[in-house]
Amino acid sequence: MGVASLVLGIAAVVFSVFPILFGYWGAVILGVVGIILGALGKKSNAKCATGGLVCAIIGTCLSGLMLIACSLCASAAGGVLGAL
């Protein structure tokens, strides 16, 4: 489970920076699944599980922040264009 958490955590970080394939929601989902697998993998005391847990948390937070920032930017642009 540790290796799967590491792979999902790295994928969450990559997809949160480049949301071409899955978008930000896909990165959030990958990160949450990576967090769950990392927490389950830490019970077996694996080093990969710790790295996967950290990467998944970073990917989830980063994609959540990017999702909020893009939503705010789009709503601000809509407000400016609506005022014209």
Side-chain angles (χ1 to χ4, degrees):
M1 291 206 191
V3 176
S5 172
L6 186 63
V7 169
L8 289 175
I10 292 172
V13 170
V14 170
F15 289 139
S16 66
V17 177
F18 302 108
I20 302 297
L21 295 175
F22 291 117
Y24 295 117
W25 286 109
V28 169
I29 293 169
L30 288 176
V32 169
V33 173
I35 290 171
I36 292 169
L37 289 178
L40 292 175
K42 280 189 66 98
K43 291 181 181 178
S44 67
N45 221 0
K47 299 285 183 188
C48 286
T50 305
L53 187 62
V54 170
C55 286
I57 290 171
I58 290 172
T60 303
C61 291
L62 187 63
S63 61
L65 288 174
M66 294 293 285
L67 181 67
I68 291 169
C70 287
S71 298
L72 289 175
C73 185
S75 68
V80 169
L81 292 176
L84 295 177

